[in-house]
Structure formats: C-alpha cells, structure tokens
Amino acid sequence: MDSARRPILFVSLPESGLINPLLVLAGELSRQGVEDLWFATDEPRREDVHQASERAPVEFASLGDVTPELSAVTWPDDVYQEVTQSSRFRAHRAVIKQSYKPALQAEKFRRLREVVDKVQPALMIVDCMSGFAVDLALSRGIPFVLSVPFLPSNVLTSHNPFAKGYTPRDFPVPHSGLPRRMNLAQRVANELFRFRTLAMFFNPAMGRVLSEDARLRKELELPPPNPMTRIERAELVLCNSVAELDYPFGIPEKMRLVGAVLPPLPETSGDDPVREWLDDQASVVYMGFGTITRLTRDQVGALVQVARRLQGEHQVLWKLPAEQQHLLPAPDELPGNLRIESWVPSQLDVLAHPAVKVFFTHGGGNGFHEGLYFGKPLVVRPLWVDCYDQAVRGRDFGVSLTVDHPEGIVVDDVVDKLTRVLGEPSFRENAERIGALQRAAGGRTAATDLILGLPALV
C-alpha cells in the first residue's frame, strides 16, 4: 500500500487501557505496509511500540519517564483508597483532583511539541485522556483522530449542568454508576452529581489550580479547556464499543463505533503452558482485575475461598500480580482447582478459549468489551469511575451481574453471582449476541480503513 505523504503520529498515556488499542492500530497500519508511523508515549512503553512493527517500522518517540502523579499505577496507597472509595461522587472528585495537574500536563505538551516539530505529522491519533496532545493538535492545526476505549456516552455526556453534551439532560452522568431508568432519589443524585462537579471548581484550592492552568495556557498560546472541543474538532472519533452496550441516544456521525480493537489471534504460539492447561479443562472461571487493582490480604483470602467453593464443578484461573502474591495463604492451603499466574502470555487468548465460561473482572473499558467480544458473560467487581458505568449497563443488558460491597469481598455473594451467570443460559446467549455485533463492527480493520480514508492522508 502507498504510504501517506506525511507521517502519522500516535500519542497515548502509558496506561494499558488507553495505549493498547492504539498499539493494535499502529500494528495493523504497519502490517498493511503504511510507512512513516510514529508513536509518542512514555519511556517504559518503548519495547511495546517496537513490537508493533510488522512490514513497516513504527518509530518510538519518548515523552520521558512516567509522571507518577498522572499514572494510576504509581499513585500512593492513600490516593488509591480515595479514588476507589464507595462514594461515586467523592471518587470522581478525587480522580479530578489527582489528575488535573496543569504544570505536569504542560511538561508533556512541551515534550510532544518537540516530537511534532521533528516528525511533522499529517495526522495525529490520540487517546481521549491525553488532553495535552489534543491541545497541541488544535494549536498547530493538525488533523487528529480521537480514540475512546470507553462507552460512547463517557465522552459525549457533560459533567457541567450548563455545558453542551450529546446525551439527553436526564442521561446518567459518567462515573455515577446510575441506570437509565431511575427512581426519584436516583434522578436527584444524578442532577446533584453535575452541580457538585461544577461546585468543586469554586473551591479556593481548585481555584489556584485553575489560575495556574490559565497562566500556562496563555504562555503556551492555548485556548481555554472545553471537553467537547476534542469531539467537535476531531476528524474522526473511534469508539471501541457498539451502540447496543450503551443506553440509546443520538450518536454524532463523526463517532464511529468499531467494537473492541484487538490484534490478530492467537497472540501466542508454540509452548504456552496456560493454553495447554486450558485445553484439559471443561469449565474455567477466569479472574483478572486489571493493572490498577490493589487487593488486601482479606480480599485475596476471600477470593481463594470463592475458588474453593467452586471446586468439583469449575476450575479457576487467576491472574494475580507477583507483587500481590505474598498475600496468598501457604501453597498447601490453596484449593486444587485454583491456578494462579502472575502474567498470562495473552489475556485475549484466554478469553477466546472455549473452556473459559465466565470472566470475573473489575469492569474496565477494555476488559469489559474484550470479554463480551468473545461471547463470555461477566461478573463485575467495579473498581472506580467508568467501571461502575460499564457494570450497570452489563447488568441491564443481561450480560453480567455485579458484586459491590465497599467493606470487602463477600464470598457468598461472589459465589452466588458466578453460579447464576454460569448456570442461566440467558447470560451466555446475550453475551454471544453482543460479541457477534462487536465482530461485525469491524474492530481494527474497520478502524484502519476509516483512518486511511481521511482527507489528511488521501
């Protein structure tokens, strides 16, 4: 395929949930022989970018080390507790407080500006949380594509009660975890969520942050921030979902729903002990709670008991990070149906395996869509912000059940939800229907066709 006349520059924060779909798209463009591909992200992702190279190289452009204050993986424990607390609004407020750091965003902006000066991209493809990249594209007049690994309403619903949005006024506010059909108390809570979000910016401490942001924007010659500008000024908004996973509303034409964006499968070949083990099983519960979740000793012990209660009917595969495995009981106290891995060669290969019957997940955007892509019903233990929104829709659309106990993991409730999802055919049938819709949406091939058809590259 002929290369673009000028380069394509991907930009993403280093979190897996944001960067993974963009790495897949870069890999697909490389596989099609598109040249002049660049990928700007933080230094620890250098090797991941290099691995995206297929027929044509994908060049890495460093944005420096990970900024701890901006990365949920490196937040201190007290911040983690604050952003994952049971109060939806307080957790939402804590995330804004922690991530709204104008000076740190400005530093990423300056680093990216150097990359843009060198690369001179014809098009930027940007994850929707990299506001500094959107600002740079706008300030330079560079056409850009916005990547959204969440439900479409996540970026189309305003948190400001007086600002423009694309959803109806009574639509559930993102991060509220509220359903579309609300009782009176829920409707009041939904409206208060918006007004409380607005009110937090009148706090003196937040006022100082706003002043700092205004000063830096003037220095960098940037317009005032407006969340909907990234939608309105984008050439294309790629959303890794399907309309049937969100509550109905009018989606703007420039947003294209392509379903989960996944690489060619299988990702692993040759000796894969996890796949070999799965081949020998009849029914497996896969437990994986993402890269951000930090379990306590009591929660780890409770999940071991969940596996023990399933013994005799189901095997359990648990991806538990190595740094949390010291919380496990002694090896001789673990049930025989439980296999623990600190890392699996490919979570996608695991979810695609016919022996896996249910995915027990934290409900993040990627995991939620990936599990359903392979027709696997879910049990969701929401972690924070958007996870609650995915969980409530999964429940309402009959593809998942939710366990949500702020005080910890209740073994009886988890076993009950897993047993119901495993035993009631409607969950599997609904998940398979959603999976078929996602596959029909086209994923990475539809996304790359849309990108290559943009005027900036023609």
Side-chain angles (χ1 to χ4, degrees), residues 229-422:
T229 298
R230 59 183 176 169
I231 303 295
E232 294 164 353
R233 298 286 297 277
E235 298 291 303
L236 172 69
V237 181
L238 286 174
C239 183
N240 308 154
S241 188
V242 290
E244 291 79 5
L245 276 175
D246 208 345
Y247 299 128
F249 68 96
I251 295 173
E253 185 177 353
K254 70 168 54 181
M255 175 175 275
R256 305 299 292 270
L257 278 63
V258 297
V261 173
L262 309 182
L265 297 181
E267 288 190 290
T268 59
S269 59
D271 184 23
D272 179 357
V274 173
R275 186 181 60 204
E276 292 173 0
W277 177 82
L278 287 170
D279 288 342
D280 292 334
Q281 313 307 323
S283 178
V284 175
V285 174
Y286 175 52
M287 300 198 306
F289 304 109
T291 57
I292 297 174
T293 299
R294 305 177 194 178
L295 298 171
T296 66
R297 186 177 298 276
D298 286 346
Q299 290 168 346
V300 168
L303 290 170
V304 170
Q305 291 306 311
V306 168
R308 193 182 308 279
R309 293 271 295 273
L310 297 173
Q311 196 163 12
E313 295 186 49
H314 309 284
Q315 300 291 314
V316 177
L317 174 62
W318 185 5
K319 187 176 72 171
L320 180 66
E323 59 269 22
Q324 296 183 39
Q325 292 193 16
H326 70 281
L327 303 174
L328 288 164
D332 60 356
E333 298 177 20
L334 297 176
N337 67 325
L338 176 60
R339 181 183 178 113
I340 297 172
E341 298 283 345
S342 59
W343 177 80
V344 294
S346 169
Q347 176 166 284
L348 298 175
D349 288 350
V350 169
L351 290 171
H353 199 283
V356 173
K357 305 301 183 185
V358 65
F359 183 20
F360 188 13
T361 172
H362 68 300
N366 279 356
F368 178 79
H369 288 92
E370 289 166 2
L372 294 174
Y373 180 95
F374 294 108
K376 304 302 163 73
L378 315 172
V379 171
V380 183
R381 178 183 178 263
L383 176 64
W384 65 343
V385 290
D386 67 294
C387 300
Y388 288 96
D389 301 332
Q390 271 103 225
V392 72
R393 285 159 175 77
R395 182 202 67 194
D396 286 355
F397 300 145
V399 297
S400 67
L401 291 175
T402 303
V403 293
D404 184 13
H405 295 275
E407 68 277 13
I409 293 174
V410 178
V411 174
D412 285 346
D413 185 42
V414 175
V415 172
D416 172 66
K417 299 289 171 55
L418 286 170
T419 302
R420 286 172 57 190
V421 169
L422 286 161

Side-chain angles (χ1 to χ4, degrees), residues 41-42 47 71 145 216 218 321 358 421:
T41 186
D42 291 354
E47 184 57 32
S71 176
V145 173
L216 287 166
K218 183 177 180 180
V358 65
V421 169

Side-chain angles (χ1 to χ4, degrees), residues 102-121:
L104 300 177
Q105 292 280 347
E107 179 58 28
K108 291 296 181 187
F109 177 94
R110 294 186 184 100
R111 287 182 177 272
L112 181 60
R113 184 172 58 187
E114 294 177 1
V115 172
V116 167
D117 287 342
K118 174 183 177 181
V119 174
Q120 294 291 306

Side-chain angles (χ1 to χ4, degrees), residues 8-11 22 25 29 123-127 145 147 451:
I8 299 172
L9 174 63
F10 291 84
V11 187
L22 292 186
L25 291 181
L29 289 170
L123 180 73
M124 293 171 62
I125 304 175
V126 180
D127 93 69
V145 173
S147 170
I451 290 167

